[in-house]
Amino acid sequence: MLYAIIGEDVPDSLQQRMAARPAHLARLVELESAGRMILGGPFPATDSPDPGAAGFSGSLIVAEFDSLDAAQAWADSDPYVAAGVYARVAVRPFKQVFPRS
């Protein structure tokens, strides 16, 4: 089943985010290589694809996991969690309607 993982950044976390980014991206590449990644990316803190020093306000990942517990465990072990980037992380079951598969 698909799950949406929504991380909300703490204020002024750009430095921590950038330091943890290589490890964070490596985990996403693993999901993608396994054919389980649907989409993922950050929320710019400004209305721009490159928010510069404003940084990001969070991230969204939609991926396939065996269960809600598995998705939650994966989210809990994210390097952004360990680095203090995320203030909170929500994991929710997700039903893809579009694009149609």
Side-chain angles (χ1 to χ4, degrees):
M1 181 163 181
L2 297 180
Y3 295 88
I5 301 170
I6 304 154
E8 183 179 328
D9 286 18
V10 299
D12 302 315
S13 61
L14 184 58
Q15 185 174 354
Q16 298 100 302
R17 178 182 267 272
M18 296 313 291
R21 189 170 190 262
H24 172 77
L25 292 179
R27 296 176 81 233
L28 298 178
V29 168
E30 288 177 13
L31 283 178
E32 183 180 42
S33 295
R36 297 170 44 204
M37 171 66 77
I38 303 302
L39 65 89
F43 299 119
T46 62
D47 190 12
S48 170
D50 181 4
F56 300 91
S57 62
S59 302
L60 169 66
I61 297 163
V62 178
E64 185 178 344
F65 292 91
D66 290 335
S67 66
L68 179 58
D69 287 341
Q72 185 68 59
W74 188 91
D76 290 344
S77 64
D78 193 294
Y80 283 175
V81 172
V85 174
Y86 290 152
R88 64 188 125 295
V89 178
V91 180
R92 298 181 181 151
F94 181 80
K95 180 180 177 183
Q96 182 177 349
V97 176
F98 291 99
R100 296 176 190 201
S101 51

Coordinates of all heavy atoms in Angstrom, one line a residue:
M1 N 0.8 -1.2 0.0 CA 0.0 0.0 0.0 C 0.9 1.2 0.0 O 2.0 1.2 0.4 CB -0.9 0.0 1.2 CG -1.8 1.2 1.3 SD -3.2 0.9 2.5 CE -4.0 2.4 2.3
L2 N 0.3 2.3 -0.5 CA 1.1 3.6 -0.5 C 0.8 4.4 0.8 O -0.3 4.3 1.4 CB 0.6 4.5 -1.7 CG 0.9 3.9 -3.1 CD1 0.4 4.9 -4.1 CD2 2.4 3.6 -3.3
Y3 N 1.9 5.1 1.2 CA 1.8 6.0 2.4 C 2.4 7.3 2.1 O 3.4 7.4 1.4 CB 2.5 5.3 3.6 CG 1.9 4.0 4.0 CD1 2.2 2.8 3.4 CD2 0.8 4.0 4.9 CE1 1.6 1.6 3.7 CE2 0.2 2.9 5.3 CZ 0.6 1.7 4.7 OH -0.1 0.5 5.0
A4 N 1.8 8.4 2.6 CA 2.3 9.7 2.5 C 3.0 10.0 3.8 O 2.5 9.8 4.9 CB 1.2 10.7 2.3
I5 N 4.3 10.4 3.6 CA 5.1 10.8 4.8 C 5.3 12.3 4.7 O 5.9 12.8 3.7 CB 6.4 10.1 4.8 CG1 6.1 8.5 4.9 CG2 7.3 10.5 6.0 CD1 7.3 7.7 4.7
I6 N 4.8 13.1 5.7 CA 4.9 14.5 5.6 C 5.7 15.0 6.8 O 5.3 14.8 8.0 CB 3.5 15.1 5.7 CG1 2.6 14.6 4.5 CG2 3.5 16.7 5.6 CD1 1.1 14.6 4.8
G7 N 6.9 15.5 6.5 CA 7.7 16.1 7.6 C 7.6 17.6 7.6 O 7.6 18.2 6.5
E8 N 7.5 18.1 8.8 CA 7.4 19.6 9.0 C 8.7 20.0 9.7 O 9.0 19.6 10.7 CB 6.2 19.9 9.8 CG 6.0 21.4 10.0 CD 4.7 21.7 10.9 OE1 3.8 20.9 10.8 OE2 4.8 22.7 11.6
D9 N 9.4 20.9 9.0 CA 10.7 21.4 9.5 C 10.5 22.3 10.7 O 9.5 23.1 10.8 CB 11.4 22.2 8.4 CG 12.0 21.4 7.3 OD1 11.6 20.2 7.2 OD2 12.9 21.9 6.6
V10 N 11.5 22.3 11.6 CA 11.6 23.3 12.6 C 12.1 24.6 12.0 O 12.7 24.6 10.9 CB 12.6 22.9 13.8 CG1 12.1 21.6 14.4 CG2 14.0 22.7 13.2
P11 N 11.8 25.7 12.6 CA 12.3 27.0 12.0 C 13.8 27.0 11.9 O 14.5 26.5 12.7 CB 11.7 28.1 13.0 CG 10.6 27.4 13.7 CD 11.0 25.9 13.8
D12 N 14.3 27.7 10.9 CA 15.7 27.9 10.7 C 16.5 26.6 10.7 O 17.6 26.6 11.3 CB 16.2 28.9 11.7 CG 15.5 30.2 11.7 OD1 15.3 30.8 10.6 OD2 15.1 30.7 12.8
S13 N 16.0 25.6 10.0 CA 16.7 24.3 10.0 C 17.5 24.0 8.7 O 18.0 22.9 8.5 CB 15.7 23.2 10.2 OG 14.8 23.2 9.1
L14 N 17.7 25.1 7.9 CA 18.4 24.8 6.6 C 19.8 24.2 6.8 O 20.2 23.3 6.1 CB 18.5 26.1 5.8 CG 19.1 26.0 4.4 CD1 18.3 25.0 3.5 CD2 19.1 27.4 3.7
Q15 N 20.6 24.7 7.7 CA 21.9 24.2 7.9 C 21.9 22.7 8.3 O 22.6 21.9 7.8 CB 22.6 25.0 9.0 CG 24.1 24.6 9.2 CD 24.8 25.5 10.1 OE1 24.3 26.5 10.6 NE2 26.1 25.1 10.4
Q16 N 21.0 22.3 9.2 CA 20.9 20.9 9.6 C 20.4 20.1 8.4 O 20.8 19.0 8.2 CB 19.9 20.7 10.8 CG 20.3 21.4 12.1 CD 19.6 22.7 12.3 OE1 19.6 23.6 11.4 NE2 18.9 22.9 13.4
R17 N 19.4 20.6 7.7 CA 18.9 19.9 6.5 C 20.0 19.6 5.5 O 20.1 18.5 5.0 CB 17.8 20.8 5.9 CG 17.1 20.2 4.7 CD 16.1 21.1 4.1 NE 14.8 20.8 4.6 CZ 14.0 19.9 4.0 NH1 14.3 19.2 3.0 NH2 12.8 19.7 4.5
M18 N 20.8 20.6 5.2 CA 21.8 20.5 4.2 C 22.9 19.5 4.7 O 23.4 18.7 3.9 CB 22.4 21.8 3.8 CG 21.4 22.8 3.2 SD 20.4 22.0 1.8 CE 21.7 21.8 0.6
A19 N 23.2 19.5 6.0 CA 24.2 18.5 6.5 C 23.7 17.1 6.4 O 24.4 16.2 6.1 CB 24.5 18.9 7.9
A20 N 22.4 16.9 6.7 CA 21.8 15.5 6.7 C 21.3 15.1 5.3 O 20.9 13.9 5.1 CB 20.7 15.4 7.7
R21 N 21.3 16.0 4.3 CA 20.7 15.7 3.0 C 21.3 14.5 2.3 O 20.5 13.7 1.8 CB 20.8 17.0 2.1 CG 20.0 16.8 0.8 CD 19.9 18.2 0.1 NE 19.0 18.2 -1.0 CZ 19.3 18.0 -2.2 NH1 20.6 17.8 -2.5 NH2 18.4 17.9 -3.2
P22 N 22.6 14.3 2.2 CA 23.2 13.2 1.5 C 22.6 11.8 2.1 O 22.2 11.0 1.3 CB 24.7 13.3 1.7 CG 24.9 14.8 1.9 CD 23.7 15.2 2.7
A23 N 22.5 11.7 3.4 CA 22.0 10.5 4.0 C 20.5 10.3 3.7 O 20.0 9.2 3.5 CB 22.3 10.4 5.5
H24 N 19.8 11.4 3.8 CA 18.4 11.4 3.5 C 18.1 11.0 2.1 O 17.3 10.1 1.8 CB 17.8 12.8 3.8 CG 16.4 13.0 3.4 ND1 15.3 12.6 4.1 CD2 15.9 13.7 2.3 CE1 14.2 12.9 3.5 NE2 14.5 13.6 2.4
L25 N 18.8 11.6 1.1 CA 18.7 11.2 -0.3 C 19.0 9.8 -0.6 O 18.4 9.1 -1.4 CB 19.4 12.2 -1.2 CG 19.0 13.6 -1.2 CD1 19.8 14.5 -2.1 CD2 17.5 13.7 -1.6
A26 N 20.1 9.3 0.1 CA 20.5 7.9 -0.1 C 19.3 6.9 0.2 O 19.1 5.9 -0.5 CB 21.7 7.6 0.7
R27 N 18.6 7.2 1.2 CA 17.5 6.3 1.6 C 16.4 6.4 0.5 O 15.7 5.4 0.2 CB 16.9 6.7 2.9 CG 17.9 6.5 4.1 CD 17.3 7.0 5.4 NE 16.5 6.0 5.9 CZ 15.2 6.2 6.3 NH1 14.6 7.3 6.2 NH2 14.5 5.1 6.8
L28 N 16.2 7.6 0.0 CA 15.1 7.8 -1.1 C 15.6 7.0 -2.4 O 14.7 6.4 -3.0 CB 14.9 9.2 -1.4 CG 14.3 10.0 -0.2 CD1 14.2 11.5 -0.5 CD2 13.1 9.5 0.3
V29 N 16.8 7.1 -2.7 CA 17.3 6.3 -3.8 C 17.1 4.8 -3.6 O 16.8 4.1 -4.6 CB 18.8 6.7 -4.1 CG1 19.4 5.7 -5.1 CG2 19.0 8.1 -4.6
E30 N 17.3 4.3 -2.4 CA 17.0 2.9 -2.2 C 15.5 2.6 -2.5 O 15.2 1.6 -3.1 CB 17.3 2.6 -0.7 CG 18.8 2.5 -0.4 CD 19.0 2.3 1.1 OE1 18.1 1.9 1.8 OE2 20.2 2.4 1.5
L31 N 14.6 3.4 -2.0 CA 13.2 3.2 -2.3 C 12.9 3.3 -3.8 O 12.2 2.4 -4.3 CB 12.3 4.3 -1.6 CG 12.1 4.2 -0.1 CD1 11.2 5.3 0.3 CD2 11.4 2.9 0.2
E32 N 13.5 4.2 -4.5 CA 13.4 4.4 -5.9 C 13.9 3.1 -6.6 O 13.3 2.6 -7.6 CB 14.1 5.6 -6.4 CG 13.9 5.9 -7.9 CD 14.6 7.1 -8.3 OE1 15.7 7.4 -7.9 OE2 14.0 7.9 -9.1
S33 N 15.1 2.7 -6.3 CA 15.7 1.5 -6.9 C 14.9 0.3 -6.7 O 14.9 -0.6 -7.6 CB 17.1 1.3 -6.3 OG 17.9 2.4 -6.7
A34 N 14.2 0.2 -5.6 CA 13.3 -1.0 -5.3 C 11.9 -0.8 -6.0 O 11.1 -1.7 -5.8 CB 13.1 -1.1 -3.8
G35 N 11.7 0.3 -6.7 CA 10.4 0.5 -7.4 C 9.3 0.9 -6.4 O 8.1 0.7 -6.8
R36 N 9.6 1.4 -5.2 CA 8.6 1.7 -4.2 C 8.3 3.2 -4.1 O 7.4 3.6 -3.4 CB 9.1 1.1 -2.9 CG 9.2 -0.4 -2.9 CD 9.8 -1.0 -1.7 NE 9.4 -0.4 -0.5 CZ 10.1 -0.4 0.7 NH1 11.3 -0.9 0.7 NH2 9.6 0.2 1.8
M37 N 9.2 4.0 -4.7 CA 9.0 5.5 -4.6 C 8.0 6.0 -5.7 O 8.2 5.7 -6.9 CB 10.4 6.2 -4.8 CG 10.3 7.7 -4.9 SD 9.7 8.5 -3.4 CE 11.2 8.4 -2.4
I38 N 7.0 6.8 -5.3 CA 6.1 7.4 -6.2 C 6.5 8.8 -6.5 O 6.6 9.2 -7.6 CB 4.7 7.3 -5.6 CG1 4.2 5.9 -5.3 CG2 3.7 8.0 -6.6 CD1 4.3 5.0 -6.5
L39 N 6.8 9.6 -5.4 CA 7.3 10.9 -5.5 C 7.9 11.4 -4.2 O 7.6 10.8 -3.1 CB 6.2 11.9 -6.0 CG 5.0 12.2 -5.1 CD1 5.3 13.3 -4.1 CD2 3.8 12.5 -5.9
G40 N 8.7 12.4 -4.2 CA 9.3 12.9 -3.0 C 9.9 14.2 -3.3 O 10.4 14.5 -4.4
G41 N 9.9 15.1 -2.3 CA 10.6 16.4 -2.5 C 10.2 17.3 -1.3 O 9.3 17.1 -0.5
P42 N 11.0 18.5 -1.3 CA 10.8 19.4 -0.2 C 9.7 20.5 -0.5 O 9.4 20.7 -1.7 CB 12.1 20.1 -0.1 CG 12.7 20.1 -1.5 CD 12.2 18.8 -2.1
F43 N 9.2 21.1 0.5 CA 8.3 22.3 0.4 C 9.2 23.5 0.5 O 9.6 23.8 1.6 CB 7.2 22.3 1.4 CG 6.3 21.1 1.4 CD1 6.2 20.3 2.5 CD2 5.5 20.8 0.3 CE1 5.4 19.2 2.6 CE2 4.7 19.7 0.4 CZ 4.6 18.9 1.5
P44 N 9.4 24.3 -0.6 CA 10.2 25.6 -0.4 C 9.4 26.5 0.6 O 8.2 26.6 0.6 CB 10.2 26.1 -1.8 CG 10.0 24.9 -2.7 CD 9.1 24.0 -2.0
A45 N 10.2 27.2 1.4 CA 9.6 28.1 2.3 C 9.1 29.4 1.7 O 8.3 30.2 2.3 CB 10.6 28.5 3.4
T46 N 9.4 29.6 0.4 CA 8.9 30.8 -0.4 C 8.4 30.2 -1.7 O 8.6 29.1 -2.0 CB 10.0 31.8 -0.7 OG1 11.0 31.1 -1.5 CG2 10.7 32.3 0.6
D47 N 7.7 31.1 -2.4 CA 7.1 30.7 -3.6 C 8.1 30.8 -4.8 O 8.1 31.6 -5.7 CB 5.9 31.7 -4.0 CG 5.1 31.2 -5.1 OD1 5.2 30.1 -5.6 OD2 4.3 32.0 -5.6
S48 N 9.1 29.8 -4.6 CA 10.2 29.8 -5.6 C 10.7 28.3 -5.6 O 10.8 27.7 -4.5 CB 11.2 30.8 -5.2 OG 12.4 30.6 -6.0
P49 N 11.1 27.8 -6.7 CA 11.8 26.5 -6.7 C 13.1 26.5 -6.0 O 13.6 25.4 -5.5 CB 11.9 26.1 -8.2 CG 11.8 27.4 -8.9 CD 11.0 28.3 -8.1
D50 N 13.8 27.7 -5.9 CA 15.0 27.8 -5.2 C 14.8 28.9 -4.1 O 15.0 30.1 -4.4 CB 16.1 28.2 -6.1 CG 17.5 28.3 -5.4 OD1 17.6 28.0 -4.2 OD2 18.5 28.7 -6.1
P51 N 14.5 28.5 -2.9 CA 14.1 29.5 -1.9 C 15.4 30.1 -1.2 O 15.2 31.0 -0.4 CB 13.4 28.6 -0.8 CG 14.0 27.3 -1.0 CD 14.3 27.1 -2.4
G52 N 16.6 29.7 -1.6 CA 17.8 30.3 -1.1 C 17.8 30.2 0.4 O 17.5 29.2 1.0
A53 N 18.2 31.3 1.1 CA 18.4 31.3 2.6 C 17.1 31.0 3.3 O 17.1 30.7 4.5 CB 19.0 32.6 3.0
A54 N 15.9 31.2 2.7 CA 14.6 31.0 3.3 C 14.5 29.5 3.6 O 13.8 29.1 4.6 CB 13.5 31.5 2.5
G55 N 15.1 28.7 2.8 CA 15.1 27.2 3.1 C 13.8 26.6 2.8 O 13.1 27.0 1.8
F56 N 13.4 25.6 3.6 CA 12.3 24.7 3.3 C 11.4 24.6 4.5 O 11.9 24.8 5.7 CB 12.7 23.3 2.8 CG 13.6 23.4 1.6 CD1 14.9 23.5 1.6 CD2 13.0 23.4 0.3 CE1 15.7 23.7 0.5 CE2 13.7 23.5 -0.8 CZ 15.1 23.6 -0.8
S57 N 10.2 24.3 4.3 CA 9.2 24.2 5.5 C 8.9 22.7 5.8 O 8.2 22.5 6.8 CB 8.0 25.0 5.2 OG 7.3 24.4 4.1
G58 N 9.4 21.8 4.9 CA 9.1 20.4 5.2 C 9.3 19.6 3.9 O 9.9 20.1 2.9
S59 N 8.8 18.4 3.9 CA 9.0 17.4 2.8 C 7.8 16.5 2.7 O 7.1 16.3 3.7 CB 10.2 16.5 3.0 OG 11.4 17.3 3.2
L60 N 7.6 16.0 1.5 CA 6.6 15.0 1.2 C 7.2 13.8 0.5 O 7.9 14.0 -0.5 CB 5.5 15.6 0.3 CG 4.5 14.6 -0.3 CD1 3.6 14.0 0.8 CD2 3.6 15.3 -1.3
I61 N 6.9 12.7 1.0 CA 7.3 11.4 0.3 C 6.1 10.5 0.2 O 5.3 10.4 1.2 CB 8.4 10.7 1.2 CG1 9.7 11.5 1.3 CG2 8.7 9.3 0.6 CD1 10.6 11.1 2.4
V62 N 5.8 10.0 -1.0 CA 4.8 9.0 -1.2 C 5.5 7.8 -1.7 O 6.2 7.8 -2.8 CB 3.7 9.5 -2.2 CG1 2.7 8.4 -2.4 CG2 3.0 10.8 -1.7
A63 N 5.4 6.7 -0.9 CA 6.1 5.5 -1.3 C 5.3 4.3 -0.8 O 4.4 4.4 0.0 CB 7.5 5.4 -0.6
E64 N 5.7 3.1 -1.3 CA 5.0 1.9 -1.0 C 5.7 1.2 0.2 O 6.9 1.0 0.2 CB 5.0 0.9 -2.2 CG 4.2 -0.4 -2.0 CD 4.2 -1.2 -3.2 OE1 4.6 -0.7 -4.3 OE2 3.9 -2.4 -3.1
F65 N 4.9 0.7 1.2 CA 5.4 0.0 2.3 C 4.4 -1.2 2.6 O 3.3 -1.1 2.1 CB 5.5 0.9 3.5 CG 6.6 1.9 3.4 CD1 6.3 3.2 2.9 CD2 7.9 1.7 3.8 CE1 7.2 4.2 2.8 CE2 8.9 2.6 3.7 CZ 8.5 3.9 3.2
D66 N 4.9 -2.2 3.3 CA 4.1 -3.3 3.6 C 2.9 -3.0 4.6 O 1.9 -3.7 4.6 CB 4.9 -4.5 4.2 CG 5.8 -5.1 3.1 OD1 5.5 -5.0 1.9 OD2 6.9 -5.6 3.5
S67 N 3.1 -2.0 5.4 CA 2.1 -1.7 6.4 C 2.4 -0.2 6.9 O 3.4 0.3 6.7 CB 2.2 -2.6 7.6 OG 3.4 -2.4 8.3
L68 N 1.4 0.3 7.6 CA 1.5 1.6 8.3 C 2.7 1.5 9.3 O 3.5 2.5 9.4 CB 0.2 2.0 9.0 CG 0.2 3.3 9.7 CD1 0.6 4.5 8.8 CD2 -1.1 3.5 10.4
D69 N 2.8 0.5 10.0 CA 3.9 0.3 11.0 C 5.2 0.4 10.3 O 6.2 1.0 10.8 CB 3.8 -1.0 11.8 CG 2.6 -0.9 12.8 OD1 2.2 0.2 13.2 OD2 2.2 -2.0 13.3
A70 N 5.4 -0.3 9.1 CA 6.6 -0.3 8.4 C 6.9 1.1 7.9 O 8.1 1.6 7.9 CB 6.6 -1.3 7.2
A71 N 5.9 1.8 7.4 CA 6.1 3.2 6.9 C 6.5 4.1 8.0 O 7.4 5.0 7.9 CB 4.8 3.7 6.2
Q72 N 5.9 3.9 9.2 CA 6.2 4.8 10.4 C 7.6 4.5 10.8 O 8.4 5.4 11.2 CB 5.2 4.5 11.5 CG 5.4 5.4 12.7 CD 5.0 6.9 12.4 OE1 3.9 7.2 12.0 NE2 6.0 7.8 12.5
A73 N 8.0 3.3 10.9 CA 9.4 2.9 11.3 C 10.4 3.5 10.3 O 11.4 4.0 10.8 CB 9.5 1.4 11.4
W74 N 10.1 3.4 9.0 CA 11.0 4.0 8.1 C 11.1 5.5 8.3 O 12.2 6.1 8.3 CB 10.5 3.7 6.6 CG 11.5 4.1 5.6 CD1 12.5 3.3 5.0 CD2 11.6 5.4 4.9 NE1 13.2 4.1 4.1 CE2 12.6 5.3 4.0 CE3 10.8 6.5 5.0 CZ2 13.0 6.4 3.2 CZ3 11.2 7.6 4.2 CH2 12.2 7.5 3.3
A75 N 10.0 6.2 8.5 CA 10.0 7.6 8.7 C 10.7 8.0 10.0 O 11.5 9.0 10.0 CB 8.6 8.2 8.7
D76 N 10.5 7.2 11.0 CA 11.2 7.5 12.3 C 12.7 7.4 12.2 O 13.4 8.1 13.0 CB 10.7 6.6 13.4 CG 9.2 6.8 13.8 OD1 8.7 7.9 13.5 OD2 8.6 5.9 14.4
S77 N 13.2 6.6 11.3 CA 14.7 6.5 11.2 C 15.3 7.4 10.1 O 16.4 7.2 9.8 CB 15.0 5.0 10.9 OG 14.5 4.6 9.6
D78 N 14.5 8.4 9.6 CA 15.0 9.3 8.6 C 16.2 10.2 9.2 O 16.0 10.6 10.4 CB 13.9 10.2 8.1 CG 14.3 11.0 6.9 OD1 15.2 11.9 7.0 OD2 13.7 10.7 5.8
P79 N 17.2 10.4 8.5 CA 18.3 11.3 9.0 C 17.8 12.7 9.3 O 18.4 13.3 10.2 CB 19.3 11.3 7.8 CG 19.1 10.0 7.1 CD 17.6 9.7 7.2
Y80 N 16.8 13.2 8.7 CA 16.3 14.5 9.1 C 15.7 14.5 10.5 O 15.7 15.5 11.2 CB 15.2 15.0 8.0 CG 15.8 15.5 6.7 CD1 15.0 15.9 5.7 CD2 17.2 15.6 6.5 CE1 15.4 16.4 4.5 CE2 17.7 16.1 5.3 CZ 16.8 16.5 4.3 OH 17.3 17.0 3.1
V81 N 15.1 13.4 10.9 CA 14.6 13.2 12.2 C 15.8 13.3 13.2 O 15.8 14.0 14.2 CB 13.8 11.9 12.4 CG1 13.4 11.7 13.9 CG2 12.5 12.0 11.6
A82 N 16.8 12.5 13.0 CA 18.0 12.4 13.8 C 18.7 13.7 13.9 O 19.2 14.1 15.0 CB 18.9 11.3 13.4
A83 N 18.7 14.5 12.8 CA 19.4 15.8 12.8 C 18.6 16.9 13.3 O 19.1 18.0 13.4 CB 19.8 16.1 11.3
G84 N 17.4 16.7 13.7 CA 16.5 17.7 14.3 C 15.9 18.7 13.3 O 15.5 19.8 13.6
V85 N 15.9 18.2 12.0 CA 15.3 19.0 10.9 C 13.8 19.1 11.1 O 13.1 20.1 11.0 CB 15.7 18.5 9.6 CG1 14.9 19.3 8.4 CG2 17.2 18.6 9.3
Y86 N 13.2 17.9 11.3 CA 11.7 17.8 11.4 C 11.2 18.1 12.8 O 11.7 17.5 13.8 CB 11.2 16.4 11.0 CG 11.4 16.1 9.5 CD1 11.5 14.8 9.1 CD2 11.3 17.1 8.5 CE1 11.6 14.5 7.8 CE2 11.4 16.8 7.2 CZ 11.6 15.5 6.8 OH 11.6 15.2 5.5
A87 N 10.2 18.9 13.0 CA 9.5 19.1 14.2 C 8.6 18.0 14.5 O 8.4 17.6 15.6 CB 8.8 20.5 14.2
R88 N 8.0 17.5 13.4 CA 7.0 16.4 13.5 C 6.9 15.7 12.1 O 7.2 16.4 11.1 CB 5.7 16.8 14.0 CG 4.9 17.8 13.2 CD 3.6 18.3 13.9 NE 3.5 19.7 14.0 CZ 4.3 20.6 14.7 NH1 5.3 20.2 15.3 NH2 4.0 21.9 14.8
V89 N 6.5 14.5 12.2 CA 6.3 13.7 10.9 C 5.0 13.0 11.0 O 4.7 12.3 12.0 CB 7.5 12.7 10.7 CG1 7.2 11.8 9.5 CG2 8.8 13.4 10.7
A90 N 4.2 13.1 10.0 CA 2.9 12.4 9.9 C 3.0 11.4 8.8 O 3.6 11.6 7.8 CB 1.8 13.4 9.6
V91 N 2.5 10.2 9.1 CA 2.5 9.1 8.1 C 1.0 8.7 8.0 O 0.4 8.3 9.0 CB 3.3 7.9 8.6 CG1 3.3 6.8 7.6 CG2 4.8 8.3 8.9
R92 N 0.5 8.7 6.7 CA -0.9 8.4 6.5 C -1.0 7.4 5.3 O -0.3 7.6 4.3 CB -1.6 9.7 6.1 CG -1.6 10.7 7.3 CD -2.4 11.9 6.9 NE -2.4 12.8 8.0 CZ -2.4 14.1 7.9 NH1 -2.6 14.6 6.7 NH2 -2.4 14.9 8.9
P93 N -1.9 6.5 5.3 CA -2.2 5.7 4.1 C -2.6 6.6 3.0 O -3.3 7.7 3.2 CB -3.4 4.8 4.6 CG -3.3 4.8 6.1 CD -2.8 6.1 6.5
F94 N -2.3 6.3 1.8 CA -2.5 7.1 0.6 C -3.1 6.3 -0.5 O -2.5 5.2 -0.8 CB -1.2 7.8 0.2 CG -1.4 8.7 -1.0 CD1 -1.9 10.0 -0.8 CD2 -1.0 8.3 -2.3 CE1 -2.0 10.9 -1.9 CE2 -1.1 9.2 -3.3 CZ -1.6 10.5 -3.1
K95 N -4.2 6.8 -1.1 CA -4.7 6.1 -2.3 C -4.5 7.0 -3.5 O -5.0 8.0 -3.6 CB -6.2 5.8 -2.1 CG -6.8 5.1 -3.3 CD -8.3 4.9 -3.1 CE -8.9 4.2 -4.3 NZ -10.3 4.1 -4.2
Q96 N -3.7 6.5 -4.4 CA -3.4 7.2 -5.7 C -4.6 7.1 -6.6 O -5.0 6.0 -6.9 CB -2.1 6.7 -6.3 CG -1.7 7.5 -7.5 CD -0.4 7.1 -8.2 OE1 0.3 6.3 -7.5 NE2 -0.2 7.5 -9.4
V97 N -5.1 8.2 -7.1 CA -6.1 8.3 -8.1 C -5.6 8.8 -9.4 O -5.9 8.3 -10.4 CB -7.3 9.1 -7.6 CG1 -8.4 9.3 -8.6 CG2 -7.9 8.6 -6.3
F98 N -4.7 9.8 -9.3 CA -4.1 10.4 -10.5 C -2.6 10.5 -10.3 O -2.2 10.8 -9.2 CB -4.7 11.8 -10.8 CG -6.1 11.8 -11.3 CD1 -7.1 12.0 -10.4 CD2 -6.4 11.5 -12.6 CE1 -8.4 12.0 -10.9 CE2 -7.7 11.4 -13.1 CZ -8.7 11.7 -12.2
P99 N -1.8 10.3 -11.3 CA -2.2 9.8 -12.6 C -2.8 8.4 -12.5 O -2.3 7.6 -11.7 CB -1.0 9.9 -13.5 CG 0.1 9.9 -12.6 CD -0.4 10.5 -11.3
R100 N -3.6 8.1 -13.4 CA -4.2 6.7 -13.4 C -3.2 5.7 -13.8 O -2.4 6.0 -14.7 CB -5.4 6.7 -14.4 CG -6.5 7.6 -14.0 CD -7.6 7.6 -15.0 NE -8.5 8.7 -14.7 CZ -9.7 8.7 -15.1 NH1 -10.2 7.8 -15.9 NH2 -10.5 9.7 -14.7
S101 N -3.2 4.6 -13.1 CA -2.2 3.6 -13.4 C -2.8 2.4 -14.2 O -3.9 2.3 -14.4 CB -1.6 3.1 -12.1 OG -2.5 2.7 -11.2

